[in-house]
Amino acid sequence: PTNSLHKSAVYYSCLRRVTRVSCVLHSRPLWSLNGTLINLGLDRRRRLSGGNLIISSLDRYQDVGMYQCMAFNAAGAVLSRRASLQFAYLDHFKVHTRSAVSVREGQGVVLLCGTPTSSGDLTYAWVFNEYPYFVQQDNRRFVSQQTGNLYIAKVEASDVGNYTCVVMNSVTKGKVQSSPTSLILRTDGVMGEYEPKIEVNFPDNVPAAKGSTVTLECFALGNPVPEITWKRANGVPFPSKVKMKYSNAVLEIPSFQQEDTGGYECVAENKMGKNIATGRLAFYAKPQWMQAMKDTALAIEERLYWECRANGKPKPSYTWLKNGQQLLSEDRIRVEDGVLSVSALTLSDAGMYQCVAENKHGVIYFAAELMVLASPPDFTGNVLRALLKAKAGTTVTLECKPQAYPTASILWKKGNLPIQTSERITLSPDGTLRLANVSKSDAGSYTCFARNRFGMSSTTGRLLVTDPTGITQGPVDMEIIVGESIVLPCQVTSDPVLDISFSWAFNGQLIAKGDGHFELVGGVSAGDLMIRNIQLYHAGKYICVVDTDVESLSAVAVLIVKGPPSPPESVTVEEVTDSTAQLAWSPGRDNGSPITHYLIQTRTPFTVGWQRVNTVPELIDGNTLTATVVDLNAWVEYEFRVLAKNSVGVGEPSPVSVKTRTEDAGLCCVVPDAAPAELVITWEPVPEELQNGESFGYIIAFRAFGEVSWTHVATSAPGASRYVYRNDSIAPFSPFHVKVGTYNSKGQGPFSPVVTIYSAETEPSGMPAGVWARSVSASEIEVNWQPLSFSPERVLGYEVAYWEDDTKPETMGKVRVPWNQTSVTVSGLAGNTQYFLTVSAFNTAGTGPFLPAINVTSKKPPPSQPPLNVEWTLIGSELSLYWEPVVATESESEVTGYQLSYRRQRHKEVNKLTTANSTAELTLGEEDDDYIIHIQTLSEGGLGPASDPIRIHQLSKLVVHSRGENHSSTASLSTYEPTARTSPPSPCSFPS
């Protein structure tokens, strides 16, 4: 039940305690009022409903008081907390005429309210002359909510009139009014000035509960009107939560706390003097449990010790109840300051107990059940194993733990003979038998007998002592090459009565069945592990674990796997001329065998696949990480990659470098290989072994498109592969039919098939229009233009030229695209840099006129710092990652998010995930494979550097947590997978 303040019916609830007994006979709960049992059989206004007490037709005089409920069943009885029922009311003022109050002007006055009898919180107001004109409180007038009186510090002529006290009950909302009191001025003079006199004060000691709102009143009479101020006795300023109201006559402290306690002073002051009222605020708190007992089951004759502790202010006192009745110290029972002890328990001590903590502000109850147990020994659920196997030389422990109340005495027998203790055979107080350094002679039948005053019981088991198990051949450390297969041996000798099982662990993880690389082979006494097609990730520690009924053994071996080197990383092109390019790279892992040297390959739009290139130095040893590629063609776009080689073989190639164009062969422009009015014919020479005779030569036949007759020219040079026909009448880019034949001293051979070629052409004369550009990232600018609407010359494509500064021609770069493309992204640029750009059309003769240059500034570069301190948690297949947010410097682009790149180790397909925060959630596949993860920042400037590679092992289905390295480096990139290309047909081919 809870405390209640009622003006009508009341409804009380009492919940009965539910015990562990499966079938309990409940009786009706008992209710008491002011300590006297309520006889519900003789009381028609009170009735029970499911344990709740319902009172109808409430009577203010009969039903007021303290209520308490007692609930009981077969386990005992408990009391509820006490609850107070009070009635709110407000009687009327006595009807009589109040005497007039006569004062001098300038004098202070107090008008008494004379509150009628009441119960419940009241509020006060005063009416001046007639309703609804209420007295307005200010520094001169104050209505105390403690006394209900009206205080006027200094009476003025305007105060003359009738005053009525209005009282309202906050619970019933009832309101009553007093008879009016007249205030009149005396005619015998005006009151002189005098010092303040405090009429409204607060008690010397004010108790306050934690969290409550405390209100202190202080008001003084005086002439002139006194000024009210407040301060703390210790001089500490008031916190911001403290409020002053009604010209400082009221001090309000909301959410009262321990630090608000102490002395408070109200100072009333005018020019004639001052007066001070003092008092203390004291903190109080109802009891709250800090420590309580719990349901307890003890054996008969054992000792009960319960302790309960509660905090509160003032300090609570304690009482103990058994089945609702107070316990006092006597004989076996000791009750002292929250402690209950009962020695030598009997069955009659069982029941419901309550600890009661109480101070003047509240009382709390805590209940627990005491069960007193008495039974003979019972081994149900705790019998000895029927057969226990133990290795010779070990210690055997046989437990004898029957359920018995009181505790049983224990006796051990081997066969029919009692066991005698010795240095090797010991018996502990709880009945446990220990046999140290067992041998075959200790084998046999063992029986534990348990007895107390209620009976006896026993349990029997047999001990079998076996020979030790040994590993006769275990795995040894090995080195092996990728792709080979091996068998790691694990063979044992053991006692034939033992069951043996083998298991293998790799780098701390159990090797699961179904892995295509691992297979257990061998017979009953062997658990050899075969590893097929070994890969680099199979390197590590292998443990063979042998389990028997009595012991576990293991043998360890370290497997070193050697393979071709991993791909080199971070291939960059540092310096470029018209025929050379300087490369630099970072080494990949050597995979168990030192890198002996590096190879460099390149490709262009005009080559078939990747080609080996010439370098300086010619042979790049394994300690060299830079080289210069030579013999390149001018004004060609190249890509490069690097391969590493060791004693095992050549590894996978590095990621492809950024596309880089070699410089022009001239100072300012491209010089075409042929001028207009020329026809250039080339062919593949016939090898000497197919010339079939002396005086070998070629016959070149050509004719303009549409003509019938052929022009023939012969050359007697066997190694010739080119012929130039010059004629000023040839129009630029005119089509010709061409065929080439052969001859020797024996006669003329067949001609090649006829092909169509074109004469040299002139550069375009028109300029594209509508050029505009925008920065895409720190290293890329997108350029757009409108195509030429008409051009008398052939247009093969468009060329975009760009440079940083007109005074720095060495910074110029060029990009070419086909004729049907009207935009291109220029890459490889410097961040936060202004570039000038222009566009022109081109063909084989060269470039046409350029448009006036436009300028655009590339975006700030992405943050140079990669994500650091990466942490991850793997639960099943759900992976959570966390890392430190990257903060960009002033010269870098702001971070807009992060990109996660992840792939399975045995696959090259890379998946990507973006997130706006420094956390990410991934669901990994169920495949038994590692995952490699990199994290990069996203910004307007592009992708930032990657974090250290994060390797997630999928074999573990337990909760795994890891912290990343506290430094940064360039992340490993996947190797490039070359695509097949078809070779274009040669211009001419010749039969032998």
Side-chain angles (χ1 to χ4, degrees):
T2 56
N3 293 327
S4 301
L5 190 62
H6 280 268
K7 59 182 179 180
S8 57
V10 65
Y11 176 94
Y12 271 160
S13 173
C14 175
L15 299 179
R16 285 175 289 184
R17 192 175 189 280
V18 179
T19 69
R20 296 191 188 91
V21 183
S22 59
C23 181
V24 180
L25 295 176
H26 291 274
S27 65
R28 298 167 68 190
L30 302 178
W31 283 87
S32 64
L33 172 59
N34 298 326
T36 302
L37 189 66
I38 299 174
N39 190 340
L40 296 174
L42 301 178
D43 193 334
R44 296 182 178 180
R45 293 188 306 108
R46 299 187 179 102
R47 62 184 177 87
L48 285 180
S49 175
N52 303 323
L53 177 63
I54 301 176
I55 307 174
S56 57
S57 301
L58 283 171
D59 186 281
R60 169 174 154 186
Y61 302 101
Q62 293 185 35
D63 296 323
V64 67
M66 195 70 67
Y67 287 79
Q68 195 167 26
C69 166
M70 175 187 286
F72 57 91
N73 61 13
V78 291
L79 288 179
S80 70
R81 63 182 179 180
R82 296 192 293 266
S84 173
L85 174 61
Q86 299 176 359
F87 290 84
Y89 63 90
L90 177 60
D91 289 341
H92 291 280
F93 282 96
K94 293 181 180 179
V95 180
H96 69 279
T97 303
R98 296 194 174 194
S99 301
V101 177
S102 176
V103 296
R104 290 188 179 93
E105 185 176 354
Q107 184 179 354
V109 70
V110 179
L111 300 183
L112 303 180
C113 181
T115 307
T117 56
S118 63
S119 175
D121 293 335
L122 304 178
T123 59
Y124 299 90
W126 282 78
V127 173
F128 179 52
N129 287 330
E130 61 181 13
Y131 186 84
Y133 297 103
F134 288 92
V135 173
Q136 300 300 312
Q137 301 184 68
D138 52 23
N139 66 334
R140 201 169 56 82
R141 292 170 295 190
F142 177 65
V143 177
S144 171
Q145 297 303 314
Q146 303 295 329
T147 66
N149 300 333
L150 170 63
Y151 300 83
I152 303 177
K154 174 188 172 187
V155 174
E156 297 177 353
S158 60
D159 295 325
V160 174
N162 294 321
Y163 291 84
T164 302
C165 180
V166 180
V167 185
M168 185 175 74
N169 191 306
S170 300
V171 179
T172 66
K173 305 303 181 184
K175 183 186 299 184
V176 295
Q177 298 184 31
S178 70
S179 300
T181 300
S182 297
L183 178 64
I184 60 177
L185 289 181
R186 292 170 59 173
T187 59
D188 55 352
V190 177
M191 185 70 178
E193 295 181 338
Y194 63 97
E195 67 181 15
K197 178 184 178 183
I198 296 178
E199 289 288 345
V200 181
N201 198 357
F202 49 95
D204 293 337
N205 190 36
V206 180
K210 179 180 179 180
S212 64
T213 297
V214 178
T215 301
L216 302 180
E217 293 184 344
C218 181
F219 192 79
L221 311 182
N223 187 6
V225 176
E227 179 182 352
I228 305 295
T229 58
W230 293 83
K231 65 179 181 178
R232 297 189 65 170
N234 58 10
V236 176
F238 290 120
S240 59
K241 69 178 181 178
V242 174
K243 301 174 183 178
M244 308 286 184
K245 297 181 177 180
Y246 305 117
S247 301
N248 291 356
V250 175
L251 174 72
E252 185 176 279
I253 307 173
S255 185
F256 187 79
Q257 302 297 323
Q258 183 77 47
E259 58 267 21
D260 297 322
T261 59
Y264 285 75
E265 294 182 0
C266 166
V267 180
E269 185 174 10
N270 63 14
K271 68 179 182 179
M272 301 304 296
K274 67 179 179 180
N275 203 347
I276 300 176
T278 62
R280 295 188 62 82
L281 291 182
F283 183 86
Y284 80 82
K286 299 177 181 179
Q288 287 186 323
W289 289 118
M290 300 170 57
Q291 176 185 347
M293 66 282 194
K294 58 183 179 181
D295 293 345
T296 303
L298 295 174
I300 193 171
E301 299 177 0
E302 287 188 333
R303 177 175 178 265
L304 169 69
Y305 180 88
W306 268 338
E307 183 176 4
C308 62
R309 285 283 177 262
N311 59 12
K313 194 166 184 179
K315 182 179 178 182
S317 61
Y318 301 92
T319 56
W320 286 87
L321 306 176
K322 178 191 176 185
N323 295 329
Q325 302 299 317
Q326 184 173 353
L327 285 173
L328 300 175
S329 295
E330 59 179 1
D331 298 333
R332 298 176 298 108
I333 301 174
R334 290 290 180 267
V335 177
E336 183 178 3
D337 192 28
V339 174
L340 170 65
S341 64
V342 182
S343 59
L345 288 172
T346 65
L347 293 176
S348 63
D349 292 322
M352 297 302 301
Y353 289 77
Q354 288 177 280
C355 178
V356 184
E358 182 174 11
N359 64 15
K360 65 180 181 180
H361 301 292
V363 56
I364 54 176
Y365 295 76
F366 197 91
E369 180 183 359
L370 172 63
M371 291 187 290
V372 180
L373 307 175
S375 66
D378 183 8
F379 285 99
T380 302
N382 200 21
V383 298
L384 288 174
R385 289 172 57 181
L387 177 62
L388 176 64
K389 299 177 183 179
K391 182 179 72 171
T394 61
T395 297
V396 175
T397 300
L398 300 175
E399 290 186 341
C400 182
K401 293 185 177 180
Q403 191 176 40
Y405 307 100
T407 304
S409 59
I410 302 298
L411 173 66
W412 281 93
K413 288 185 179 182
K414 179 184 178 186
N416 295 321
L417 299 177
I419 294 177
Q420 303 298 322
T421 59
S422 63
E423 290 185 358
R424 193 176 66 84
I425 302 175
T426 58
L427 182 64
S428 61
D430 66 353
T432 299
L433 179 66
R434 288 183 176 83
L435 309 176
N437 191 23
V438 295
S439 62
K440 296 279 188 178
S441 63
D442 292 314
S445 176
Y446 288 79
T447 302
C448 171
F449 294 90
R451 180 193 301 271
N452 67 10
R453 63 174 174 162
F454 296 107
M456 186 188 74
S457 184
S458 65
T459 179
T460 301
R462 188 164 68 91
L463 174 63
L464 178 63
V465 180
T466 65
D467 294 326
T469 303
I471 297 178
T472 58
Q473 183 180 4
V476 296
D477 296 348
M478 299 178 66
E479 292 185 0
I480 193 167
I481 303 299
V482 167
E484 297 180 351
S485 299
I486 60 167
V487 174
L488 298 179
C490 188
Q491 301 178 10
V492 300
T493 59
S494 64
D495 195 303
V497 301
L498 295 176
D499 294 325
I500 304 175
S501 64
F502 296 88
S503 59
W504 284 83
F506 169 48
N507 288 338
Q509 302 294 328
L510 190 66
I511 296 178
K513 294 182 179 180
D515 189 302
H517 292 277
F518 299 106
E519 181 183 357
L520 279 176
V521 296
V524 175
S525 61
D528 300 345
L529 177 67
M530 173 178 285
I531 311 176
R532 294 187 176 90
N533 188 22
I534 286 180
Q535 302 300 309
L536 289 172
Y537 56 83
H538 289 135
K541 181 187 290 186
Y542 288 81
I543 303 177
C544 172
V545 180
V546 182
D547 289 308
T548 71
D549 302 336
V550 298
E551 62 182 320
S552 180
L553 302 86
S554 64
V556 181
V558 175
L559 184 62
I560 298 175
V561 181
K562 294 184 177 181
S566 295
E569 301 173 352
S570 306
V571 178
T572 57
V573 183
E574 297 180 342
E575 294 183 13
V576 179
T577 69
D578 60 349
S579 61
T580 66
Q582 183 173 328
L583 270 62
W585 59 90
S586 300
R589 295 189 302 274
D590 62 11
N591 295 330
S593 178
I595 297 173
T596 56
H597 61 277
Y598 290 97
L599 308 172
I600 298 179
Q601 295 177 340
T602 185
R603 71 177 177 186
T604 73
F606 312 109
T607 60
V608 180
W610 291 90
Q611 307 292 330
R612 178 83 176 269
V613 292
N614 297 326
T615 61
V616 175
E618 183 176 355
L619 182 63
I620 308 170
D621 64 54
N623 296 320
T624 301
L625 300 177
T626 61
T628 301
V629 181
V630 298
D631 300 333
L632 301 177
N633 294 323
W635 197 241
V636 174
E637 198 171 61
Y638 284 90
E639 293 177 292
F640 300 94
R641 68 182 187 183
V642 182
L643 300 88
K645 183 178 182 181
N646 61 11
S647 60
V648 179
V650 178
E652 291 291 320
S654 70
V656 181
S657 71
V658 175
K659 290 182 179 180
T660 304
R661 185 182 293 276
T662 51
E663 294 184 351
D664 298 344
L667 292 177
C668 65
C669 57
V670 175
V671 178
D673 290 338
E678 285 188 354
L679 182 66
V680 180
I681 305 169
T682 61
W683 62 89
E684 182 182 340
V686 176
E688 185 176 355
E689 64 269 21
L690 300 178
Q691 293 176 3
N692 298 338
E694 297 178 339
S695 303
F696 182 83
Y698 298 95
I699 301 172
I700 300 98
F702 55 90
R703 66 183 180 189
F705 194 78
E707 294 184 357
V708 178
S709 60
W710 294 84
T711 299
H712 293 81
V713 177
T715 175
S716 58
S721 61
R722 186 172 187 267
Y723 172 75
V724 179
Y725 171 67
R726 293 180 175 84
N727 189 327
D728 291 340
S729 64
I730 299 177
F733 205 65
S734 299
F736 280 80
H737 288 155
V738 177
K739 60 183 178 179
V740 179
T742 58
Y743 68 90
N744 60 18
S745 58
K746 296 295 186 179
Q748 183 176 325
F751 276 94
S752 69
V754 176
V755 298
T756 301
I757 65 173
Y758 293 83
S759 64
E761 58 185 336
T762 57
E763 63 271 9
S765 58
M767 292 186 297
V771 178
W772 62 278
R774 67 181 183 93
S775 175
V776 178
S777 68
S779 61
E780 296 176 319
I781 292 177
E782 180 186 305
V783 186
N784 297 268
W785 61 89
Q786 296 175 5
L788 289 176
S789 58
F790 171 76
S791 175
E793 299 82 21
R794 186 174 66 137
V795 175
L796 287 181
Y798 297 93
E799 179 179 281
V800 177
Y802 56 94
W803 62 95
E804 292 183 23
D805 194 329
D806 286 331
T807 63
K808 298 178 182 179
E810 70 276 6
T811 65
M812 176 177 284
K814 297 178 181 179
V815 179
R816 285 187 169 184
V817 297
W819 64 271
N820 58 351
Q821 189 170 327
T822 57
S823 67
V824 68
T825 298
V826 180
S827 58
L829 305 178
N832 199 23
T833 303
Q834 184 183 53
Y835 282 90
F836 296 87
L837 305 102
T838 185
V839 183
S840 65
F842 74 88
N843 57 23
T844 58
T847 56
F850 283 92
L851 284 168
I854 62 172
N855 65 79
V856 65
T857 301
S858 58
K859 296 185 182 297
K860 292 181 180 180
S864 58
Q865 175 185 305
L868 300 177
N869 295 330
V870 181
E871 299 183 14
W872 55 268
T873 303
L874 178 62
I875 303 178
S877 60
E878 298 300 322
L879 176 67
S880 301
L881 298 106
Y882 323 85
W883 58 90
E884 285 186 4
V886 176
V887 179
T889 64
E890 187 176 351
S891 60
E892 297 173 338
S893 292
E894 289 294 328
V895 176
T896 59
Y898 299 87
Q899 175 176 289
L900 280 75
S901 304
Y902 59 99
R903 65 177 178 88
R904 287 161 54 193
Q905 180 169 334
R906 299 181 222 173
H907 296 73
K908 295 183 179 179
E909 179 184 357
V910 177
N911 299 299
K912 297 183 186 300
L913 172 71
T914 59
T915 175
N917 306 313
S918 57
T919 62
E921 305 284 340
L922 292 175
T923 300
L924 305 183
E926 297 298 329
E927 300 84 1
D928 186 9
D929 198 356
D930 290 359
Y931 275 80
I932 307 298
I933 301 175
H934 298 90
I935 306 173
Q936 295 171 272
T937 56
L938 291 171
S939 68
E940 283 190 343
L943 282 173
S947 65
D948 286 331
I950 304 152
R951 183 183 298 272
I952 309 296
H953 202 287
Q954 272 294 88
L955 287 179
S956 174
K957 296 302 179 185
L958 302 175
V959 177
V960 180
H961 179 76
S962 177
R963 178 183 288 272
E965 296 294 332
N966 197 11
H967 64 277
S968 64
S969 65
T970 303
S972 299
L973 302 176
S974 59
T975 57
Y976 178 79
E977 181 70 19
T979 55
R981 296 179 63 138
T982 57
S983 303
S986 59
C988 302
S989 58
F990 307 98
S992 61

